[in-house]
Amino acid sequence: MDAFRAEAEGLVTSRALGYDQKLRRLATLADNALPYPGLSPLCAEALEARVICDMFEGNRPFTPRYVLPDYALALRQGVAYLELEPPTTLDDALSFLTILYSQVPSVTTYPVYLGDLDALLEPFVPTELPDAELDAKLRRFWIQLDRMLPDAFVHANVGPGDGRVVRAIWRVERSLRQVVPNLTLKVSPETPDDLIRDAVETVFVTGKPHVVNHPMMVADHGDEYAVVSCYNSLKVRGGAHSLVRLNLKEAVTRHVGGIDAFCAEALPHWVELTAELGEARIRSLVEQQGFFESNFLATEGLVDLDRFSLMFGIFGLAECVNELMAREDVDARYGHDARANEASWRVTRRIAELVAARPLPYCGGGAGFAYLHSQSGIDLDLETTAGTRIPIGDEPGLREHITACAPHHALFAAGISDIFHVDETVQANPQAMVDVIRGAFEVGMRDFTFNLDSNEFIRITGYLVRKSDLVGVDEHGARHSSDYLAATAEVNHTVTTRAIKRVIAAELSPQA
C-alpha cells in the first residue's frame, strides 16, 4: 500500500502531466492493484522474468485492447445509447462520428480505429460541393481529432479505391502537418498509381501514411478489416482481446543448443506459456469483467464477440537468430546473410505452426486461434529489436532489406511492418517510391512505411511523433500521450539512427 500511495502521489503532483493524463494513469494504477488472473507457477515465473509479456496492460483489463466498431453500420442505423439518429449530411456525419469516437475504448483509452474514412464519408459529399469547401470541413474535423484524441495510436484507413475524400485527406494532411490521426492506405493492383503517388508526396511532408497489401489482408481477414494503432490488422466489428508476446532474445538465452533443438524443444514450451497467459486474460475480460454483455457497442451490434481474437506477438527475432548462428559457428547475421535469413524464416514458421495448433476461447475472429503478430516493441525494451525487424542502424540496402523481411510477412495476420528511412533525393522522383511499393507487395510484404531522413516527423515503432514535441517532455510535458513513450524510446532505441537508403527509380518495381 505504501508503494501504491507513493506512485499515486507522484502522479497527482507531477508538473509534466496534464489533467487528462493524470486521470488515465491513476486508473491504470488502480487496475494494477487488483489481483492477477490465475496462472500456473511456470507461466507466472515466465511473466515475472519478462520472457513472456502482457504489455503492462493492467492486471484486470475491463475493455479489449483494440476495438474496431462498424462505423458504417452506426451511420446507417444510428446509436440508441448516444441518442444519435442516422446522419443525412456531411456536417451531420462528421459530428456523429466525433461524438461516437469519444465513447470507443481501447488500451490507450482513446479509439485506435476511426474507420475507413473515405468509404464512410464519400456518400455524404454532394457532387456540387467545391473541393475548397470539402477541404475546409475535413480540416476542421482533422483539428478536432488531434485536439480531442491526442494520441498517435488513433488510426484511420483509406483506399484502395480513389475518390474525392481521400484526395482531400491528402491535401488536409499536407496543410496541417499534425500527428493525429495515424493513417494507412490500402493498396491493391487496381489502386491508381496517381493515388499512391499523391500518398507518397504526403509522406514527404507528414510521414504518413503506411501502405498495406490489400489482397493479402483480405485473404486473412475478409473484406471487412482495418489497420489500427501502429499497424495492427484486425477484423472490423471485432478486434483484439489482449496482446501477449514472447521475447525470443530471452527465450534463446534459457535454452542450450542450436536451431534444431530450439525449434523442436524450446519454442513449444514458450509458445504454450504465452498462450496460457493470453487465455487467462481473455477469460478474465469476457467472463468476469463482462464487456460484451454490457457495453453498448456490443449490445447494439457495432462489435461482435465472434470477430475478436488474441494477438500473439513475438519480438527479438534478430538477437535470437544471431545467437543461434554464433552457437553453430556460422559467421552470419540476420538481414545480411542467407543462412541467418533462412534460420529466421524457420523460427517464425515454427512459431506460426505452434500458434495455429493451440486453441483459445472466445477467439472466433481467428477461427478459434490467436492471430500471430510481429510486435513493434515498447519503450522499455532494451537492446532488443522490435518484432522481426533488422536492428536499427544495421539495416542493409533497400532490396536486401525487403528480401530478408518479406518472407515473414505472410505469417503475421495481426500485423507486421518495416520502416525504411530514405534519402531526401527521392522527392525529385516520387514515382520511384511508387515502384518500390508495388514491387515490395509483389514479393510478399504486408505492411510498411517510409520516412525522409530530413523530416520533422519520425516513426517510433509504427506511430508518428514530431521531433520538436519530444524536446523537454520530462520537464514541460506534452499534449500527445504517445510523446512520453516516444521520448523514452528515442533514448533507449535511438530510432533516428536508422540506416538511410537511396531509392533508385524502378529499383524494386514488379518487373525488376
Side-chain angles (χ1 to χ4, degrees):
M1 182 56 72
D2 288 344
F4 177 90
R5 287 174 175 163
E7 193 169 349
E9 181 74 19
L11 289 174
V12 299
T13 58
S14 171
R15 270 60 168 180
L17 295 174
Y19 162 75
D20 204 47
Q21 292 161 344
K22 290 181 181 182
L23 193 66
R24 285 168 164 79
R25 295 192 187 198
L26 286 168
T28 300
L29 186 62
D31 188 3
N32 285 331
L34 296 173
Y36 209 93
L39 302 172
S40 70
L42 275 178
C43 187
E45 180 184 351
L47 177 61
E48 178 68 23
R50 290 292 158 178
V51 185
I52 63 176
C53 179
D54 58 5
M55 298 295 293
F56 304 94
E57 288 182 5
N59 288 0
R60 295 279 292 282
F62 49 90
T63 186
R65 178 180 177 87
Y66 295 138
V67 178
L68 283 65
D70 188 338
Y71 293 114
L73 177 60
L75 290 168
R76 291 196 303 271
Q77 71 180 23
V79 180
Y81 178 79
L82 298 176
E83 301 180 45
L84 292 174
E85 296 293 328
T88 58
T89 68
L90 179 58
D91 287 340
D92 287 346
L94 294 173
S95 177
F96 181 106
L97 290 172
T98 303
I99 294 168
L100 182 50
Y101 295 153
S102 72
Q103 302 294 315
V104 176
S106 80
V107 66
T108 71
T109 74
Y110 297 107
V112 295
Y113 176 54
L114 302 183
D116 286 41
L117 284 177
D118 54 341
L120 292 175
L121 297 177
E122 198 77 37
F124 294 97
V125 179
T127 305
E128 65 274 14
L129 183 70
D131 282 351
E133 291 187 29
L134 174 60
D135 289 4
K137 292 176 185 293
L138 288 179
R139 182 184 175 89
R140 286 192 292 271
F141 180 57
W142 237 239
I143 292 171
Q144 286 179 328
L145 294 178
D146 181 71
R147 305 318 187 259
M148 296 176 67
L149 309 172
D151 189 279
F153 297 105
V154 174
H155 204 125
N157 290 210
V158 293
D162 206 344
R164 293 187 66 195
V165 172
V166 64
R167 296 294 184 149
I169 285 173
W170 298 150
R171 293 192 296 269
V172 168
E173 275 287 336
R174 292 192 292 263
S175 70
L176 285 176
R177 304 187 183 195
Q178 63 187 33
V179 168
V180 178
N182 206 345
L183 284 169
T184 285
L185 171 64
K186 299 177 178 181
V187 177
S188 73
E190 294 73 36
T191 303
D193 270 15
D194 182 59
L195 176 62
I196 304 173
R197 188 162 54 250
D198 204 358
V200 165
E201 292 179 346
T202 305
V203 175
F204 292 160
V205 178
T206 70
K208 295 182 271 184
H210 287 262
V211 288
V212 69
N213 187 331
H214 182 61
M216 182 181 288
M217 291 294 195
V218 170
D220 285 330
H221 297 291
D223 291 330
E224 294 182 287
Y225 78 92
V227 179
V228 306
S229 186
C230 278
Y231 55 82
N232 310 287
S233 44
L234 299 162
K235 285 180 168 65
V236 173
R237 207 164 59 259
H241 296 299
S242 187
L243 167 56
V244 293
R245 61 182 190 155
L246 170 59
N247 186 337
L248 293 172
K249 176 186 176 182
E250 289 297 319
V252 79
T253 63
R254 288 162 168 77
H255 163 75
V256 177
I259 189 168
D260 289 344
F262 184 69
C263 289
E265 301 164 11
L267 284 179
H269 171 75
W270 295 116
V271 167
E272 174 55 32
L273 293 182
T274 310
E276 180 191 334
L277 176 64
E279 179 169 349
R281 295 181 67 81
I282 292 171
R283 289 193 182 278
S284 177
L285 171 68
V286 177
E287 298 173 359
Q288 296 178 25
Q289 279 74 268
F291 174 86
F292 295 96
E293 299 170 10
S294 59
N295 188 275
F296 79 95
L297 293 171
T299 59
E300 296 193 32
L302 301 181
V303 297
D304 185 341
L305 174 60
D306 290 339
R307 291 179 67 82
F308 279 75
S309 189
L310 173 74
M311 295 173 68
F312 187 113
I314 64 168
F315 69 115
L317 176 68
E319 288 78 16
C320 172
V321 168
N322 290 345
E323 173 62 22
L324 290 172
M325 292 296 94
R327 290 181 185 182
E328 299 195 358
D329 293 323
V330 176
D331 183 16
R333 72 185 194 279
Y334 177 51
H336 296 268
D337 300 279
R339 290 190 64 177
N341 292 344
E342 288 283 354
S344 76
W345 305 333
R346 182 176 172 189
V347 168
T348 57
R349 285 195 299 265
R350 178 59 174 150
I351 294 170
E353 291 171 358
L354 294 165
V355 170
R358 207 308 188 162
L360 286 165
Y362 308 112
C363 286
F369 301 89
Y371 296 123
L372 193 58
H373 176 63
S374 176
Q375 204 280 318
S376 62
I378 58 177
D379 59 325
L380 300 179
D381 295 338
L382 300 176
E383 299 179 354
T384 309
T385 302
T388 59
R389 291 179 183 167
I390 298 167
I392 290 172
D394 191 41
E395 302 99 331
L398 184 58
R399 180 186 289 272
E400 293 78 13
H401 195 153
I402 292 174
T403 300
C405 293
H408 296 296
H409 279 228
L411 302 174
F412 292 86
I416 181 171
S417 178
D418 287 282
I419 301 173
F420 304 132
H421 222 164
V422 300
D423 186 273
E424 62 184 13
T425 56
V426 74
Q427 293 177 91
N429 187 5
Q431 183 59 42
M433 208 63 224
V434 176
D435 290 342
V436 169
I437 291 168
R438 294 285 195 195
F441 290 159
E442 187 83 6
V443 300
M445 294 286 280
R446 178 185 295 271
D447 183 320
F448 69 94
T449 187
F450 69 95
N451 195 26
L452 295 181
D453 175 56
S454 58
N455 207 319
E456 158 71 353
F457 292 84
I458 184 170
R459 292 278 171 191
I460 300 298
T461 57
Y463 65 95
L464 200 65
V465 297
R466 292 180 296 213
K467 295 174 184 175
S468 58
D469 289 342
L470 303 184
V471 178
V473 165
D474 292 338
E475 295 179 9
H476 310 299
R479 184 168 59 82
H480 295 97
S481 299
S482 42
D483 286 344
Y484 294 92
L485 300 175
T488 307
E490 168 51 18
V491 172
N492 289 347
H493 305 304
T494 60
V495 293
T496 53
T497 63
R498 289 190 175 104
I500 302 170
K501 305 177 191 303
R502 292 293 299 270
V503 179
I504 302 170
E507 180 184 22
L508 203 77
S509 68
Q511 294 79 28

